[in-house]
Amino acid sequence: MIMGFRRSDVKSRVDIHYSIIGTNVNETSVMTMEVGEGSKTAVYTHSEPTTTTVKVTFTIYTDKGPISESHEVTFPKHCGDLRRDPHITTFDGRRYTYNGLCWHTLVVDCTDEAPRFEVLGKFEPRDPIDREVRTRTTDVTVIIGGQVIEMDASNNVKVNGRTAPPTVELVEEDMTVAVDTTRGGYTFININDIITFTWNGGEHAFNAAFDGDNQVRLCGLLGNADGDATNDLIMRNGRITKDVVEFGNSWRVDKLRCD
């Protein structure tokens, strides 16, 4: 879950205290919003493969006193993500680390032979090659039919080769794709209100939230979102492996070259 805080009247530095409370969830934290920043984003990753409603309460302390609000938020049924070097959590909550190189399929629609959408991630070394290689995601490309959305580590976003406006809506056959780059360093891509992809290049962080639509079957490095974490390591050829490296390598996209 990604929470955005926006205020147009911040004239001095303020602290935002927020809490997330629900079944098996009790998180409390604080953020600081500087003058002129206008918005702040908090990320909470929920990896349980069930729909959960939580109560989100936040208090902003200003020079005029505290301002509090409370909202109910429903998590999608399945959330998966990649972070840092890269630590991966599948849609069904399985965690593993895979230090692959070059382009890999993060998520792909496996419902039919021709996928309606696919998300590719580029893994590059974060340390010199002369020691054990640790990688991180530096670029993400989302392909929906003939539409291509490219995002890099500097949070530059291109749609079909051109710099994207702050928000844009694309239509591809029976799919509506909304792209939003206005939320404080995060890019959001929503397809038919079924699946949402989020990218923050500065944090090398990718998130996918899937509502569990039974008409869509997923696969890739984030697994298959079937509610069973024990079968998440399904390789491109359809076989299940226990070897994370074998699994990750099977989702490498060899046709794409890396510098």
Side-chain angles (χ1 to χ4, degrees):
M1 179 177 69
I2 297 176
M3 297 175 292
F5 300 90
R6 294 174 182 272
R7 292 192 65 80
S8 59
D9 58 348
V10 173
K11 306 237 186 319
S12 61
R13 175 173 171 165
V14 298
D15 290 330
I16 303 170
H17 295 251
Y18 66 91
S19 60
I20 306 168
I21 300 173
T23 305
N24 298 321
V25 178
N26 192 337
E27 298 284 334
T28 301
S29 191
V30 60
M31 298 182 298
T32 298
M33 183 181 290
E34 302 290 348
V35 176
E37 200 165 13
S39 67
K40 201 74 175 180
T41 303
V43 178
Y44 176 75
T45 301
H46 173 71
S47 57
E48 294 297 324
T50 54
T51 301
T52 302
T53 299
V54 298
K55 184 177 182 180
V56 178
T57 301
F58 64 90
T59 301
I60 300 177
Y61 291 89
T62 72
D63 54 2
K64 297 180 180 179
I67 302 171
S68 297
E69 290 187 21
S70 184
H71 304 273
E72 283 197 348
V73 179
T74 300
F75 285 102
K77 288 185 178 179
H78 305 273
C79 291
D81 62 49
L82 291 85
R83 296 188 179 278
R84 302 300 182 180
D85 55 345
H87 303 301
I88 300 172
T89 303
T90 68
F91 287 112
D92 295 325
R94 180 165 182 164
R95 293 177 172 87
Y96 68 96
T97 297
Y98 169 67
N99 286 295
L101 288 169
C102 206
W103 289 93
H104 289 69
T105 297
L106 307 182
V107 184
V108 62
D109 170 25
C110 294
T111 311
D112 298 310
E113 186 174 343
R116 291 188 297 170
F117 60 82
E118 182 173 13
V119 183
L120 307 177
K122 186 180 183 182
F123 295 171
E124 293 187 342
R126 58 175 298 176
D127 297 311
I129 296 292
D130 59 355
R131 53 182 172 173
E132 184 180 356
V133 176
R134 292 189 299 168
T135 63
R136 58 187 176 185
T137 312
T138 59
D139 300 79
V140 171
T141 297
V142 181
I143 304 168
I144 309 112
Q147 313 280 358
V148 179
I149 304 165
E150 301 168 281
M151 301 169 285
D152 66 16
S154 299
N155 288 320
N156 297 309
V157 181
K158 291 184 177 181
V159 175
N160 299 325
R162 297 186 175 184
T163 300
T167 59
V168 62
E169 185 172 283
L170 308 172
V171 177
E172 180 69 22
E173 297 182 354
D174 61 341
M175 293 180 290
T176 300
V177 183
V179 183
D180 185 347
T181 66
T182 65
R183 306 190 196 183
Y186 287 83
T187 298
F188 289 76
I189 301 172
N190 177 274
I191 303 177
N192 279 8
D193 291 327
I194 294 173
I195 190 165
T196 300
F197 305 120
T198 308
W199 168 248
N200 183 318
E203 297 292 330
H204 302 278
F206 172 81
N207 176 275
F210 176 53
D211 77 349
D213 188 316
N214 59 15
Q215 301 299 314
V216 178
R217 189 168 66 89
L218 303 178
C219 50
L221 290 185
L222 294 188
N224 57 12
D226 69 348
D228 181 2
T230 65
N231 66 2
D232 279 351
L233 302 188
I234 299 179
M235 298 187 292
R236 193 182 291 273
N237 61 14
R239 292 194 300 110
I240 298 178
T241 180
K242 296 181 179 180
D243 187 322
V244 167
V245 175
E246 182 183 31
F247 167 70
N249 289 344
S250 78
W251 289 106
R252 177 167 168 151
V253 183
D254 292 326
K255 66 182 180 181
L256 295 179
R257 298 182 61 184
C258 293
D259 298 333

